[in-house]
């Protein structure tokens, strides 16, 4: 089959690789219908996180089950399924407690020795603990497939951030970051009942989506100017609930400085490039809580899925460019140059 591989910074290739096969009784093989490129994939693309030459890549996909191992009972051949960005066994202590990203037997798609989502098919370990079945009729609905694909990562991650921040009715929520996760955090905060949502972002096309998702205010400034703007909007107090969806030192510092005393930050931006931007003495003095991390999206899919299916939430606008598998290298380039927000790959 064909799949995306990374060989060096800015060197993405679509190559022939071995077909996936069932190796263990709990495995399934899924033929990929839709996958996408994540903002976190760009750190490997830019050489800021290490990859072995020829390593597979991509961790968001949905598709059709082609084959299952003897012990798989939850899904069967022909089922349409979505996969979270990590596999998990579903039965260890962490999984039972909802923290599937800490599964004792879990792992990331595209890690050394595993298949990546940006290809024609994927071997899925622990299929019963990992895959979630979708309505069969969704396979012929391109718009719905796009919305369902976000459940593999960005919608669940945005939800995780909003929960960590404490988004709720009568709370002011601020979201630092106008990427797909930040925009999904806006949508998640609205779903959780937030009355006022301040989106921080400089790109009009993205902030237009933020408004569509429920943002009531947009702050285009950065750094100290952004802090001043948010505080001006909140009578000098800051926001009760702040989402940090970037992962840089500056973005975390901004998040801390726009949080109201007694408020909370939900952080899901993958830390990279520098220090954390945290000053514990400031957080201690102002009673600011910090919650978040790698989102256990497998736990959230059953909760979010009905709202996607009935149209209560529609995260599909985060995809603004669709390519075929051969177009994946150009898709990376478009996201790196910020001419695309998030690229979907249609097989």
């Amino acid at each position: 089959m064909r799949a995306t591989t990374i060989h060096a910074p800015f060197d993405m290739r679509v190559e022939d690789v071995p077909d996936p096969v069932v190796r263990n009784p709990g495995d399934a093989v899924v033929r990929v219908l839709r996958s996408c490129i994540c903002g976190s994939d760009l750190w490997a693309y830019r050489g800021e996180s290490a990859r072995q030459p020829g390593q597979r890549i991509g961790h968001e996909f949905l598709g059709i089950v082609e084959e299952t191992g003897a012990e798989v009972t939850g899904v069967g051949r022909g089922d349409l399924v979505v996969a979270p960005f990590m596999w998990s066994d579903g039965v260890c202590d962490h999984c039972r407690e909802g923290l599937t990203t800490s599964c004792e037997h879990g792992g990331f798609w595209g890690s050394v020795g595993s298949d990546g989502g940006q290809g024609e098919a994927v071997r899925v370990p622990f299929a019963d603990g990992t895959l979630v079945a979708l309505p069969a009729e969704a396979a012929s609905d391109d718009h719905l497939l796009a919305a369902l694909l976000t459940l593999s990562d960005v919608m669940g991650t945005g939800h995780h951030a909003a929960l960590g921040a404490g988004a709720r009715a009568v709370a002011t929520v601020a979201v630092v970051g106008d990427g797909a996760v930040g925009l999904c955090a806006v949508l998640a905060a609205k779903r959780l009942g937030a009355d006022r949502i301040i989106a921080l972002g400089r790109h009009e096309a993205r902030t237009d989506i933020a408004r569509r998702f429920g943002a009531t205010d947009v702050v285009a400034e950065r750094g100290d100017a952004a802090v001043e703007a948010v505080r001006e909007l909140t009578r000098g107090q800051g926001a009760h609930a702040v989402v940090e969806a970037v992962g840089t030192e500056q973005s975390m510092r901004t998040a801390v400085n726009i949080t109201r005393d007694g408020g909370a930050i939900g952080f899901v931006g993958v830390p990279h490039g520098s220090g954390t931007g945290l000053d514990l003495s400031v957080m201690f003095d102002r009673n600011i809580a910090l919650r978040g991390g790698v989102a256990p999206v497998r736990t959230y899919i059953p909760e979010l899925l009905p709202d996607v299916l009935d149209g209560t939430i529609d995260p599909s606008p985060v995809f603004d460019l669709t390519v075929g598998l051969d177009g994946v290298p150009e898709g990376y380039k478009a996201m790196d140059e910020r001419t695309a927000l998030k690229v979907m790959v249609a097989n």
Side-chain angles (χ1 to χ4, degrees):
M1 70 167 193
R2 294 158 64 244
T4 306
T5 57
I6 181 168
H7 292 261
F10 308 103
D11 184 1
M12 313 298 297
R13 307 177 194 176
V14 178
E15 300 181 306
D16 290 331
V17 299
D19 290 337
V21 296
V22 169
R23 297 180 189 170
N24 302 306
D27 289 353
V29 172
V30 173
R31 174 170 53 86
V32 176
L33 293 182
R34 297 289 185 276
S35 61
C36 50
I37 301 172
C38 183
S40 63
D41 291 332
L42 295 180
W43 303 121
Y45 178 71
R46 295 166 179 159
E48 296 183 38
S49 59
R51 293 292 188 275
Q52 293 184 6
Q55 188 172 336
R56 304 281 289 281
I57 196 166
H59 54 259
E60 303 156 284
F61 66 93
L62 57 75
I64 303 293
V65 176
E66 294 278 278
E67 186 180 1
T68 61
E71 295 179 2
V72 177
T73 60
V75 296
R77 183 181 177 89
D79 285 350
L80 178 67
V81 294
V82 63
F85 63 78
M86 290 185 67
W87 67 80
S88 53
D89 63 21
V91 297
C92 73
D93 288 347
H94 291 302
C95 286
R96 287 199 300 267
E97 293 166 4
L99 194 61
T100 52
T101 48
S102 292
C103 176
E104 296 172 13
H105 303 107
F108 285 92
W109 312 114
S111 57
V112 175
S114 73
D115 295 326
Q118 294 161 18
E120 292 182 323
V122 175
R123 180 182 74 88
V124 178
F126 304 105
D128 281 341
T130 301
L131 298 174
V132 178
L134 303 171
E137 57 270 21
S140 59
D141 186 332
D142 288 340
H143 182 89
L144 183 55
L145 282 179
L148 292 169
L149 180 58
T150 67
L151 297 178
S152 65
D153 186 347
V154 290
M155 188 63 226
T157 298
H159 178 66
H160 186 58
L163 287 178
R168 61 200 182 277
V170 308
T172 295
V173 178
V175 177
V176 181
D178 61 1
V181 169
L183 294 174
C184 285
V186 171
L187 188 58
K190 181 67 174 178
R191 177 181 174 275
L192 292 169
D195 296 315
R196 189 175 194 189
I197 303 171
I198 304 168
L200 281 71
R202 296 182 298 162
H203 302 272
E204 186 174 355
R206 300 182 180 202
T207 55
D208 284 349
I209 296 174
R211 290 190 185 277
R212 180 174 173 181
F213 282 1
T216 54
D217 303 273
V218 169
V219 168
E221 293 84 357
R222 298 183 72 180
D224 292 342
V227 174
E228 182 178 349
V230 172
R231 291 197 169 272
E232 184 175 342
L233 289 169
T234 56
R235 296 184 294 116
Q237 296 179 345
H240 303 87
V242 176
V243 168
E244 194 288 310
V246 182
T248 64
E249 184 173 359
Q250 181 189 52
S251 62
M252 182 59 82
R253 184 174 292 112
T254 296
V256 171
N257 289 337
I258 65 174
T259 303
R260 177 189 180 106
D261 287 16
I265 300 168
F267 75 107
V268 292
V270 179
H272 57 270
S274 61
T276 64
L278 291 176
D279 185 331
L280 293 182
S281 64
V282 170
M283 298 181 71
F284 180 86
D285 290 344
R286 297 177 50 216
N287 281 281
I288 294 174
L290 182 67
R291 293 184 289 265
V294 186
V297 299
R298 176 59 180 84
T299 297
Y300 298 138
I301 292 174
E303 175 185 350
L304 298 172
L305 177 58
D307 284 359
V308 173
L309 291 174
D310 68 15
T312 299
I313 58 173
D314 178 13
S316 65
V318 299
F319 296 110
D320 59 349
L321 177 63
T322 299
V323 299
L325 190 55
D326 287 335
V328 169
E330 287 303 309
Y332 272 87
K333 185 174 185 290
M335 284 183 62
D336 181 52
E337 295 176 350
R338 298 182 74 86
T339 58
L341 166 59
K342 189 168 180 65
V343 175
M344 181 164 59
V345 183
N347 288 1

